[in-house]
Amino acid sequence: MTPYAAPQYPVPADAILVECRHDRHAEAILAIFNDAILTSTALYDYRPRTLASMQGWFQAKEAGGFPVVGLENEAGELMGFASYGVFRAYPANKYTFEHSVYIDARFRGRGLGEALMRILIDRAHLRQVHVLVGSIDATNTGSIRLHEKLGFVHAGTIRQAGFKFGRWLDLAFYQLTLDTPADPVDG
């Protein structure tokens, strides 16, 4: 288990931590999602999402009490965001959540992903989460390196789990086990 340490947010000086809201951030998050869908294997979707889909996405996050944190620049542009949600919808999985972190292509390489992940890990710890799971395309070495730097360990790979851009995709799972909850219960 990873022992809990006081949060350290190495947020770049020109970045501002925000709680993302539908009314302010839906379009920016949608643009980041759709760029990932169209240009990468970070998301295994084929078609861009619609603005209407963001309403349900935000509602699910709010209903589950799941954070959606972002970093904006001084001009108010969302540079990236991170969140977590249900890993598997079974009662026994109530202490395990799947997370995601996405950075706008214009702002990559500045440490924003690491800053957002550290914030998300702290939020998970405070919520008494036991395991955070990252589902990462096996060719996404940057994301894999980031997760390993933060203490995530490889938990397995599903070979040929997806097919996109004319090729089979392997899906690697990385997990971070926290020292919470203090008193886990069944039911």
Side-chain angles (χ1 to χ4, degrees):
M1 283 194 227
T2 301
Y4 183 66
Q8 296 178 1
Y9 305 141
V11 178
D14 62 342
I16 301 160
L17 177 64
V18 295
E19 303 295 325
C20 294
R21 304 183 328 256
H22 180 269
D23 62 330
R24 179 166 166 79
H25 300 103
E27 289 183 22
I29 289 174
L30 178 66
I32 294 169
F33 272 147
N34 285 342
D35 179 65
I37 290 167
L38 295 173
T39 65
S40 78
T41 55
L43 279 168
Y44 282 15
D45 289 339
Y46 292 127
R47 292 180 183 80
R49 296 178 183 182
T50 65
L51 187 55
S53 72
M54 295 308 298
Q55 183 71 38
W57 188 82
F58 270 98
Q59 286 174 343
K61 296 296 181 184
E62 185 176 331
F66 305 133
V68 181
V69 295
L71 292 173
E72 291 181 347
N73 63 16
E74 294 169 351
E77 296 174 291
L78 187 69
M79 297 185 289
F81 69 96
S83 186
Y84 62 73
V86 174
F87 171 65
R88 297 194 67 196
Y90 297 104
N93 295 115
K94 66 185 171 185
Y95 297 115
T96 301
F97 295 92
E98 184 174 1
H99 70 276
S100 57
V101 58
Y102 293 94
I103 306 299
D104 183 308
R106 299 172 296 160
F107 302 107
R108 290 185 188 141
R110 298 177 48 190
L112 301 174
E114 180 179 346
L116 286 166
M117 283 298 301
R118 288 185 185 280
I119 294 163
L120 208 61
I121 292 165
D122 182 55
R123 298 279 178 95
H125 191 273
L126 293 173
R127 185 182 167 149
Q128 300 293 296
V129 169
H130 186 60
V131 174
L132 279 175
V133 176
S135 302
I136 307 169
D137 183 77
T139 63
N140 190 342
T141 56
S143 184
I144 290 170
R145 279 194 306 269
L146 171 62
H147 282 77
E148 290 175 341
K149 178 179 181 179
L150 295 172
F152 285 76
V153 296
H154 184 248
T157 298
I158 300 175
R159 306 281 179 219
Q160 300 183 2
F163 187 82
K164 186 175 179 181
F165 300 137
R167 67 183 192 275
W168 289 108
L169 307 174
D170 296 342
L171 185 61
F173 290 94
Y174 282 77
Q175 77 174 63
L176 179 68
T177 304
L178 301 172
D179 61 355
T180 49
D183 297 305
V185 296
D186 291 335

